[in-house]
Amino acid sequence: DAGVTQSPTHLIKTRGQQVTLRCSPKSGHDTVSWYQQALGQGPQFIFQYYEEEERQRGNFPDRFSGHQFPNYSSELNVNALLLGDSALYLCASSLSSREETQYFGPGTRLLVL
Amino acid sequence: DQQVKQNSPSLSVQEGRISILNCDYTNSMFDYFLWYKKYPAEGPTFLISISSIKDKNEDGRFTVFLNKSAKHLSLHIVPSQPGDSAVYFCAASATDSWGKLQFGAGTQVVVTP
């Protein structure tokens, strides 16, 4: 049973560039959430996708956008990268039921220079 | 606005003894709570959860206690094992924020022989 997978594992970009991160949910899951984890902090909720639509959004600017595909996989896009966007980006999947536990992937480490 | 707080950044415990991790929250709308464990270079791994209609939930060596009046929950690990050395995150979600998990900053647990 495949868990949550993310690609790439590491990425280096320069300020102003754009980046796309990818996530495949755990088998049987239909909901994907994205989190940003800065060094020494807990994950911060970016947004959640269900039925190919953004269902919930955290306190992140419009530079952060996403997409969910019919197979439930998802992308996170960040435009006009800032140095402060350097972080671990985590994808989590769950079933649509509200109290379903979220299962996390290994994350993508993004470094913005 | 940090609504979930883990005030102990680190905890050292001897192998075989009990580890007690604490978490406080401020949002009275939180009604579902989870604990995750994270090793370096990996995503958070789900440990145990509790709904606000309960005050205790057990799973093997892990027990979570919820005190709603104090807005406090704790995770007990008995007995502690070397493989338990990791960062532990407390997370919560609210009735009106479907699937949006809010995390504490984490507690680094070190289990010594």
Side-chain angles (χ1 to χ4, degrees):
Chain A
D1 180 18
V4 180
T5 60
Q6 292 185 244
S7 63
T9 54
H10 296 84
L11 205 52
I12 299 175
K13 292 285 188 180
T14 56
R15 280 179 298 174
Q17 284 189 313
Q18 178 264 344
V19 68
T20 298
L21 310 181
R22 295 175 177 82
C23 171
S24 291
K26 183 178 169 68
S27 178
H29 285 182
D30 59 4
T31 301
V32 173
S33 302
W34 287 92
Y35 293 81
Q36 179 196 66
Q37 186 179 15
L39 208 57
Q41 298 181 21
Q44 298 290 316
F45 177 81
I46 303 175
F47 42 52
Q48 183 183 78
Y49 276 84
Y50 170 67
E51 292 189 338
E52 303 180 45
E53 291 190 358
E54 184 181 289
R55 181 162 70 174
Q56 280 279 337
R57 189 178 182 92
N59 190 24
F60 279 80
D62 292 344
R63 298 187 297 110
F64 289 77
S65 64
H67 189 78
Q68 186 179 33
F69 299 94
N71 67 352
Y72 308 121
S73 67
S74 176
E75 288 182 350
L76 164 65
N77 300 292
V78 187
N79 294 322
L81 284 167
L82 304 174
L83 296 180
D85 294 332
S86 295
L88 178 68
Y89 288 85
L90 295 162
C91 169
S93 74
S94 58
L95 281 172
S96 55
S97 171
R98 203 204 141 255
E99 287 195 354
E100 186 68 24
T101 298
Q102 294 184 26
Y103 292 86
F104 284 83
T108 294
R109 175 72 63 185
L110 173 64
L111 178 62
V112 182
L113 300 176
Chain B
D1 179 22
Q2 191 72 12
Q3 298 186 34
V4 179
K5 297 179 182 179
Q6 295 176 255
N7 292 318
S8 299
S10 64
L11 172 70
S12 182
V13 63
Q14 248 184 335
E15 183 178 359
R17 305 294 291 267
I18 183 171
S19 294
I20 300 177
L21 292 83
N22 294 303
C23 178
D24 297 295
Y25 61 95
T26 57
N27 188 343
S28 58
M29 296 299 292
F30 286 150
D31 61 354
Y32 191 59
F33 304 88
L34 310 90
W35 285 93
Y36 287 86
K37 176 172 75 173
K38 188 178 185 302
Y39 295 119
E42 295 184 12
T45 301
F46 169 72
L47 279 176
I48 191 168
S49 62
I50 187 167
S51 168
S52 61
I53 62 173
K54 297 183 177 180
D55 54 19
K56 178 182 174 181
N57 189 27
E58 286 183 80
D59 185 1
R61 296 187 298 116
F62 303 94
T63 303
V64 56
F65 296 91
L66 175 62
N67 183 334
K68 290 185 290 294
S69 60
K71 294 189 178 66
H72 177 85
L73 66 157
S74 61
L75 174 68
H76 292 205
I77 307 173
V78 183
S80 298
Q81 300 174 353
D84 296 331
S85 296
V87 178
Y88 289 77
F89 291 99
C90 167
S93 68
T95 305
D96 60 351
S97 297
W98 198 286
K100 174 183 175 182
L101 292 181
Q102 297 202 40
F103 283 81
T107 297
Q108 173 76 60
V109 172
V110 176
V111 180
T112 58

Tab-separated table of all heavy atoms in Angstrom, chain A residues 33 35 37 40-43 45 48 55-56 58 88 90 96-99 101-106, chain B residues 31-32 34 36 38 42-44 46 49 51 89 93-101 103-105:
chain	number	residue	atom	x	y	z
A	33	SER	N	-3.789	18.098	1.453
A	33	SER	CA	-3.474	19.360	2.136
A	33	SER	C	-1.988	19.640	1.993
A	33	SER	O	-1.174	18.711	1.964
A	33	SER	CB	-3.840	19.270	3.623
A	33	SER	OG	-5.202	18.957	3.792
A	35	TYR	N	1.335	21.922	3.579
A	35	TYR	CA	1.844	22.634	4.748
A	35	TYR	C	3.265	23.116	4.464
A	35	TYR	O	4.011	22.482	3.723
A	35	TYR	CB	1.883	21.715	5.974
A	35	TYR	CG	0.519	21.296	6.483
A	35	TYR	CD1	-0.174	20.252	5.878
A	35	TYR	CD2	-0.062	21.929	7.573
A	35	TYR	CE1	-1.423	19.863	6.338
A	35	TYR	CE2	-1.306	21.556	8.047
A	35	TYR	CZ	-1.982	20.526	7.416
A	35	TYR	OH	-3.222	20.146	7.887
A	37	GLN	N	6.761	24.029	6.524
A	37	GLN	CA	7.427	23.924	7.819
A	37	GLN	C	8.767	24.632	7.771
A	37	GLN	O	9.703	24.154	7.109
A	37	GLN	CB	7.620	22.472	8.247
A	37	GLN	CG	8.189	22.359	9.659
A	37	GLN	CD	8.383	20.942	10.132
A	37	GLN	OE1	8.369	19.994	9.352
A	37	GLN	NE2	8.556	20.779	11.424
A	40	GLY	N	12.631	24.751	12.890
A	40	GLY	CA	12.336	24.968	14.295
A	40	GLY	C	10.880	25.261	14.610
A	40	GLY	O	10.544	25.576	15.757
A	41	GLN	N	10.023	25.156	13.605
A	41	GLN	CA	8.602	25.434	13.821
A	41	GLN	C	7.754	24.233	13.430
A	41	GLN	O	8.232	23.299	12.786
A	41	GLN	CB	8.182	26.647	12.993
A	41	GLN	CG	8.888	27.934	13.360
A	41	GLN	CD	8.409	29.097	12.515
A	41	GLN	OE1	7.321	29.058	11.949
A	41	GLN	NE2	9.214	30.140	12.437
A	42	GLY	N	6.493	24.279	13.820
A	42	GLY	CA	5.557	23.259	13.379
A	42	GLY	C	5.044	23.580	11.981
A	42	GLY	O	5.170	24.710	11.508
A	43	PRO	N	4.492	22.600	11.301
A	43	PRO	CA	3.924	22.848	9.970
A	43	PRO	C	2.812	23.894	10.017
A	43	PRO	O	2.011	23.923	10.957
A	43	PRO	CB	3.375	21.475	9.568
A	43	PRO	CG	4.158	20.487	10.372
A	43	PRO	CD	4.414	21.178	11.680
A	45	PHE	N	-0.436	25.406	7.852
A	45	PHE	CA	-1.390	25.023	6.817
A	45	PHE	C	-1.412	26.051	5.694
A	45	PHE	O	-1.592	27.244	5.937
A	45	PHE	CB	-2.773	24.888	7.454
A	45	PHE	CG	-3.884	24.559	6.501
A	45	PHE	CD1	-4.096	23.257	6.085
A	45	PHE	CD2	-4.737	25.549	6.032
A	45	PHE	CE1	-5.137	22.935	5.220
A	45	PHE	CE2	-5.773	25.251	5.177
A	45	PHE	CZ	-5.978	23.950	4.760
A	48	GLN	N	-6.067	23.272	1.288
A	48	GLN	CA	-6.536	21.898	1.128
A	48	GLN	C	-7.379	21.787	-0.136
A	48	GLN	O	-8.185	22.683	-0.432
A	48	GLN	CB	-7.373	21.476	2.332
A	48	GLN	CG	-7.855	20.031	2.282
A	48	GLN	CD	-8.746	19.677	3.458
A	48	GLN	OE1	-9.917	20.020	3.488
A	48	GLN	NE2	-8.182	18.990	4.430
A	55	ARG	N	-10.611	23.949	-0.789
A	55	ARG	CA	-11.703	23.912	0.192
A	55	ARG	C	-11.395	24.791	1.406
A	55	ARG	O	-12.287	25.377	1.999
A	55	ARG	CB	-11.963	22.477	0.620
A	55	ARG	CG	-13.105	22.335	1.626
A	55	ARG	CD	-13.630	20.918	1.694
A	55	ARG	NE	-12.688	19.998	2.313
A	55	ARG	CZ	-12.987	18.730	2.588
A	55	ARG	NH1	-14.167	18.247	2.292
A	55	ARG	NH2	-12.089	17.936	3.135
A	56	GLN	N	-10.129	24.837	1.770
A	56	GLN	CA	-9.710	25.640	2.920
A	56	GLN	C	-8.389	26.297	2.561
A	56	GLN	O	-7.587	25.721	1.832
A	56	GLN	CB	-9.488	24.754	4.153
A	56	GLN	CG	-10.728	24.350	4.891
A	56	GLN	CD	-11.238	25.411	5.832
A	56	GLN	OE1	-10.488	26.281	6.276
A	56	GLN	NE2	-12.522	25.367	6.122
A	58	GLY	N	-5.090	28.684	4.357
A	58	GLY	CA	-4.453	29.319	5.498
A	58	GLY	C	-4.025	30.729	5.146
A	58	GLY	O	-4.379	31.276	4.098
A	88	LEU	N	10.548	23.369	4.387
A	88	LEU	CA	10.129	22.024	4.014
A	88	LEU	C	8.643	22.100	3.680
A	88	LEU	O	7.845	22.578	4.484
A	88	LEU	CB	10.367	21.054	5.171
A	88	LEU	CG	9.942	19.602	4.948
A	88	LEU	CD1	10.839	18.938	3.894
A	88	LEU	CD2	10.004	18.822	6.264
A	90	LEU	N	5.293	20.108	2.988
A	90	LEU	CA	4.712	18.809	3.278
A	90	LEU	C	3.341	18.680	2.649
A	90	LEU	O	2.533	19.605	2.693
A	90	LEU	CB	4.583	18.613	4.793
A	90	LEU	CG	5.893	18.552	5.578
A	90	LEU	CD1	5.635	18.798	7.056
A	90	LEU	CD2	6.555	17.197	5.389
A	96	SER	N	-12.304	12.288	2.781
A	96	SER	CA	-13.062	13.530	2.880
A	96	SER	C	-13.759	13.702	4.219
A	96	SER	O	-14.124	14.795	4.597
A	96	SER	CB	-14.093	13.607	1.749
A	96	SER	OG	-14.913	12.452	1.759
A	97	SER	N	-13.929	12.628	4.943
A	97	SER	CA	-14.550	12.717	6.258
A	97	SER	C	-13.783	13.677	7.144
A	97	SER	O	-12.567	13.645	7.206
A	97	SER	CB	-14.586	11.338	6.916
A	97	SER	OG	-14.984	11.433	8.258
A	98	ARG	N	-14.424	14.517	7.843
A	98	ARG	CA	-13.823	15.598	8.605
A	98	ARG	C	-12.795	15.158	9.635
A	98	ARG	O	-11.773	15.788	9.830
A	98	ARG	CB	-14.937	16.370	9.301
A	98	ARG	CG	-14.533	17.695	9.626
A	98	ARG	CD	-15.241	18.343	10.727
A	98	ARG	NE	-14.217	19.074	11.431
A	98	ARG	CZ	-13.728	18.695	12.574
A	98	ARG	NH1	-14.218	17.667	13.194
A	98	ARG	NH2	-12.751	19.358	13.134
A	99	GLU	N	-13.080	14.060	10.287
A	99	GLU	CA	-12.162	13.657	11.352
A	99	GLU	C	-11.178	12.597	10.907
A	99	GLU	O	-10.526	11.970	11.723
A	99	GLU	CB	-12.958	13.154	12.560
A	99	GLU	CG	-13.643	14.276	13.302
A	99	GLU	CD	-14.109	13.841	14.681
A	99	GLU	OE1	-14.000	12.647	14.994
A	99	GLU	OE2	-14.592	14.689	15.431
A	101	THR	N	-7.817	11.129	9.826
A	101	THR	CA	-6.439	11.518	10.091
A	101	THR	C	-5.709	11.852	8.799
A	101	THR	O	-5.914	11.212	7.772
A	101	THR	CB	-5.718	10.364	10.801
A	101	THR	OG1	-6.377	10.144	12.050
A	101	THR	CG2	-4.257	10.676	11.030
A	102	GLN	N	-4.852	12.854	8.837
A	102	GLN	CA	-4.028	13.227	7.697
A	102	GLN	C	-2.690	12.497	7.779
A	102	GLN	O	-2.044	12.480	8.824
A	102	GLN	CB	-3.808	14.737	7.664
A	102	GLN	CG	-5.102	15.506	7.407
A	102	GLN	CD	-4.895	16.987	7.275
A	102	GLN	OE1	-3.824	17.460	6.911
A	102	GLN	NE2	-5.939	17.748	7.573
A	103	TYR	N	-2.292	11.919	6.654
A	103	TYR	CA	-1.026	11.191	6.565
A	103	TYR	C	-0.077	11.984	5.673
A	103	TYR	O	-0.441	12.378	4.568
A	103	TYR	CB	-1.257	9.781	6.013
A	103	TYR	CG	-2.034	8.911	6.964
A	103	TYR	CD1	-3.432	8.920	6.970
A	103	TYR	CD2	-1.380	8.106	7.893
A	103	TYR	CE1	-4.143	8.149	7.868
A	103	TYR	CE2	-2.088	7.316	8.789
A	103	TYR	CZ	-3.471	7.351	8.773
A	103	TYR	OH	-4.174	6.587	9.666
A	104	PHE	N	1.138	12.164	6.174
A	104	PHE	CA	2.091	13.045	5.519
A	104	PHE	C	3.087	12.304	4.638
A	104	PHE	O	3.471	11.169	4.922
A	104	PHE	CB	2.871	13.844	6.571
A	104	PHE	CG	2.079	14.959	7.179
A	104	PHE	CD1	1.205	14.715	8.218
A	104	PHE	CD2	2.210	16.247	6.700
A	104	PHE	CE1	0.465	15.745	8.775
A	104	PHE	CE2	1.475	17.296	7.255
A	104	PHE	CZ	0.603	17.037	8.295
A	105	GLY	N	3.509	13.001	3.591
A	105	GLY	CA	4.618	12.541	2.775
A	105	GLY	C	5.938	12.978	3.370
A	105	GLY	O	5.966	13.671	4.399
A	106	PRO	N	7.065	12.630	2.724
A	106	PRO	CA	8.388	12.953	3.259
A	106	PRO	C	8.770	14.416	3.093
A	106	PRO	O	9.702	14.890	3.733
A	106	PRO	CB	9.320	12.052	2.456
A	106	PRO	CG	8.594	11.821	1.175
A	106	PRO	CD	7.131	11.803	1.518
B	31	ASP	N	-11.879	20.606	18.269
B	31	ASP	CA	-12.584	19.435	18.767
B	31	ASP	C	-11.951	18.117	18.331
B	31	ASP	O	-12.535	17.046	18.536
B	31	ASP	CB	-14.052	19.483	18.361
B	31	ASP	CG	-14.244	19.498	16.855
B	31	ASP	OD1	-13.237	19.587	16.125
B	31	ASP	OD2	-15.394	19.428	16.410
B	32	TYR	N	-10.796	18.188	17.694
B	32	TYR	CA	-10.103	16.973	17.291
B	32	TYR	C	-8.618	17.244	17.420
B	32	TYR	O	-8.122	18.257	16.920
B	32	TYR	CB	-10.473	16.606	15.846
B	32	TYR	CG	-10.020	15.247	15.404
B	32	TYR	CD1	-10.440	14.097	16.063
B	32	TYR	CD2	-9.178	15.085	14.302
B	32	TYR	CE1	-10.038	12.843	15.645
B	32	TYR	CE2	-8.777	13.831	13.877
B	32	TYR	CZ	-9.205	12.717	14.544
B	32	TYR	OH	-8.813	11.469	14.138
B	34	LEU	N	-4.480	15.591	17.559
B	34	LEU	CA	-3.618	14.527	17.075
B	34	LEU	C	-2.193	14.752	17.571
B	34	LEU	O	-1.777	15.882	17.838
B	34	LEU	CB	-3.586	14.491	15.535
B	34	LEU	CG	-4.910	14.486	14.782
B	34	LEU	CD1	-5.358	15.904	14.472
B	34	LEU	CD2	-4.781	13.698	13.477
B	36	TYR	N	1.764	13.709	16.330
B	36	TYR	CA	2.608	13.191	15.266
B	36	TYR	C	4.036	13.109	15.780
B	36	TYR	O	4.468	13.901	16.618
B	36	TYR	CB	2.576	14.101	14.037
B	36	TYR	CG	1.310	14.059	13.226
B	36	TYR	CD1	0.220	14.862	13.544
B	36	TYR	CD2	1.209	13.218	12.123
B	36	TYR	CE1	-0.938	14.822	12.788
B	36	TYR	CE2	0.051	13.181	11.347
B	36	TYR	CZ	-1.012	13.989	11.691
B	36	TYR	OH	-2.152	13.939	10.928
B	38	LYS	N	8.106	12.974	14.348
B	38	LYS	CA	8.881	13.286	13.145
B	38	LYS	C	10.356	13.002	13.363
B	38	LYS	O	10.969	13.537	14.284
B	38	LYS	CB	8.676	14.753	12.751
B	38	LYS	CG	9.309	15.096	11.400
B	38	LYS	CD	9.046	16.530	11.035
B	38	LYS	CE	9.566	16.850	9.626
B	38	LYS	NZ	11.000	16.590	9.466
B	42	GLU	N	12.280	13.116	7.349
B	42	GLU	CA	11.045	12.394	7.063
B	42	GLU	C	9.851	13.290	7.356
B	42	GLU	O	9.955	14.282	8.081
B	42	GLU	CB	10.938	11.127	7.910
B	42	GLU	CG	11.998	10.083	7.597
B	42	GLU	CD	11.777	8.804	8.407
B	42	GLU	OE1	10.703	8.662	9.014
B	42	GLU	OE2	12.698	7.966	8.426
B	43	GLY	N	8.684	12.930	6.784
B	43	GLY	CA	7.474	13.646	7.129
B	43	GLY	C	6.929	13.193	8.475
B	43	GLY	O	7.323	12.140	8.987
B	44	PRO	N	6.031	13.972	9.079
B	44	PRO	CA	5.421	13.575	10.345
B	44	PRO	C	4.653	12.263	10.195
B	44	PRO	O	3.979	12.043	9.194
B	44	PRO	CB	4.469	14.730	10.654
B	44	PRO	CG	4.987	15.893	9.876
B	44	PRO	CD	5.569	15.304	8.636
B	46	PHE	N	1.758	9.841	11.921
B	46	PHE	CA	0.636	9.878	12.847
B	46	PHE	C	0.837	8.872	13.980
B	46	PHE	O	1.225	7.721	13.752
B	46	PHE	CB	-0.662	9.571	12.101
B	46	PHE	CG	-1.839	9.332	13.007
B	46	PHE	CD1	-2.422	10.368	13.699
B	46	PHE	CD2	-2.340	8.040	13.179
B	46	PHE	CE1	-3.504	10.151	14.533
B	46	PHE	CE2	-3.413	7.805	14.015
B	46	PHE	CZ	-3.996	8.867	14.691
B	49	SER	N	-4.840	9.938	18.080
B	49	SER	CA	-5.726	11.089	18.055
B	49	SER	C	-6.794	10.947	19.131
B	49	SER	O	-6.974	9.864	19.708
B	49	SER	CB	-6.389	11.223	16.679
B	49	SER	OG	-7.185	10.079	16.400
B	51	SER	N	-10.880	12.662	20.029
B	51	SER	CA	-11.983	13.580	19.789
B	51	SER	C	-12.351	14.262	21.092
B	51	SER	O	-12.143	13.707	22.176
B	51	SER	CB	-13.182	12.799	19.246
B	51	SER	OG	-14.354	13.583	19.263
B	89	PHE	N	4.882	16.481	17.606
B	89	PHE	CA	4.022	17.625	17.352
B	89	PHE	C	2.602	17.328	17.818
B	89	PHE	O	2.051	16.259	17.537
B	89	PHE	CB	3.984	17.964	15.863
B	89	PHE	CG	5.279	18.507	15.318
B	89	PHE	CD1	6.150	17.681	14.630
B	89	PHE	CD2	5.607	19.835	15.499
B	89	PHE	CE1	7.346	18.169	14.129
B	89	PHE	CE2	6.803	20.341	15.003
B	89	PHE	CZ	7.662	19.500	14.317
B	93	SER	N	-7.706	20.534	15.190
B	93	SER	CA	-8.573	21.084	14.148
B	93	SER	C	-9.901	21.489	14.774
B	93	SER	O	-10.323	20.942	15.791
B	93	SER	CB	-8.791	20.101	13.005
B	93	SER	OG	-9.544	18.991	13.427
B	94	ALA	N	-10.546	22.474	14.138
B	94	ALA	CA	-11.770	23.053	14.671
B	94	ALA	C	-12.976	22.654	13.831
B	94	ALA	O	-12.856	22.333	12.653
B	94	ALA	CB	-11.656	24.570	14.706
B	95	THR	N	-14.134	22.707	14.443
B	95	THR	CA	-15.381	22.346	13.786
B	95	THR	C	-15.593	23.129	12.500
B	95	THR	O	-16.040	22.592	11.497
B	95	THR	CB	-16.566	22.624	14.738
B	95	THR	OG1	-16.347	21.936	15.952
B	95	THR	CG2	-17.872	22.188	14.113
B	96	ASP	N	-15.212	24.422	12.506
B	96	ASP	CA	-15.507	25.274	11.353
B	96	ASP	C	-14.336	25.360	10.365
B	96	ASP	O	-14.382	26.159	9.442
B	96	ASP	CB	-15.880	26.678	11.821
B	96	ASP	CG	-14.774	27.349	12.619
B	96	ASP	OD1	-13.777	26.661	12.952
B	96	ASP	OD2	-14.894	28.547	12.906
B	97	SER	N	-13.314	24.564	10.560
B	97	SER	CA	-12.134	24.591	9.665
B	97	SER	C	-11.825	23.174	9.216
B	97	SER	O	-10.870	22.554	9.667
B	97	SER	CB	-10.918	25.185	10.368
B	97	SER	OG	-11.147	26.527	10.713
B	98	TRP	N	-12.602	22.712	8.335
B	98	TRP	CA	-12.556	21.327	7.883
B	98	TRP	C	-11.149	20.907	7.486
B	98	TRP	O	-10.636	21.311	6.469
B	98	TRP	CB	-13.492	21.180	6.679
B	98	TRP	CG	-13.864	19.782	6.373
B	98	TRP	CD1	-13.063	18.838	5.798
B	98	TRP	CD2	-15.127	19.170	6.607
B	98	TRP	NE1	-13.766	17.673	5.658
B	98	TRP	CE2	-15.023	17.842	6.137
B	98	TRP	CE3	-16.321	19.610	7.156
B	98	TRP	CZ2	-16.085	16.954	6.216
B	98	TRP	CZ3	-17.375	18.720	7.222
B	98	TRP	CH2	-17.252	17.413	6.757
B	99	GLY	N	-10.518	20.074	8.306
B	99	GLY	CA	-9.241	19.486	7.939
B	99	GLY	C	-8.044	20.387	8.061
B	99	GLY	O	-6.929	19.987	7.736
B	100	LYS	N	-8.220	21.619	8.514
B	100	LYS	CA	-7.098	22.531	8.677
B	100	LYS	C	-6.457	22.244	10.032
B	100	LYS	O	-6.999	22.590	11.071
B	100	LYS	CB	-7.566	23.978	8.612
B	100	LYS	CG	-6.474	25.003	8.917
B	100	LYS	CD	-7.050	26.406	8.909
B	100	LYS	CE	-6.023	27.428	9.333
B	100	LYS	NZ	-6.590	28.794	9.363
B	101	LEU	N	-5.317	21.585	10.008
B	101	LEU	CA	-4.617	21.266	11.245
B	101	LEU	C	-3.734	22.432	11.657
B	101	LEU	O	-3.019	23.000	10.837
B	101	LEU	CB	-3.753	20.015	11.072
B	101	LEU	CG	-4.480	18.690	10.871
B	101	LEU	CD1	-3.453	17.555	10.743
B	101	LEU	CD2	-5.440	18.416	12.006
B	103	PHE	N	-0.631	23.252	14.231
B	103	PHE	CA	0.406	22.519	14.934
B	103	PHE	C	1.093	23.381	15.992
B	103	PHE	O	1.205	24.608	15.840
B	103	PHE	CB	1.487	22.051	13.948
B	103	PHE	CG	1.104	20.871	13.113
B	103	PHE	CD1	0.327	21.024	11.983
B	103	PHE	CD2	1.534	19.591	13.459
B	103	PHE	CE1	-0.025	19.924	11.208
B	103	PHE	CE2	1.201	18.490	12.691
B	103	PHE	CZ	0.414	18.658	11.560
B	104	GLY	N	1.571	22.700	17.036
B	104	GLY	CA	2.492	23.330	17.956
B	104	GLY	C	3.887	23.332	17.359
B	104	GLY	O	4.116	22.787	16.272
B	105	ALA	N	4.840	23.915	18.089
B	105	ALA	CA	6.209	24.047	17.580
B	105	ALA	C	7.024	22.778	17.757
B	105	ALA	O	8.128	22.661	17.210
B	105	ALA	CB	6.907	25.213	18.254
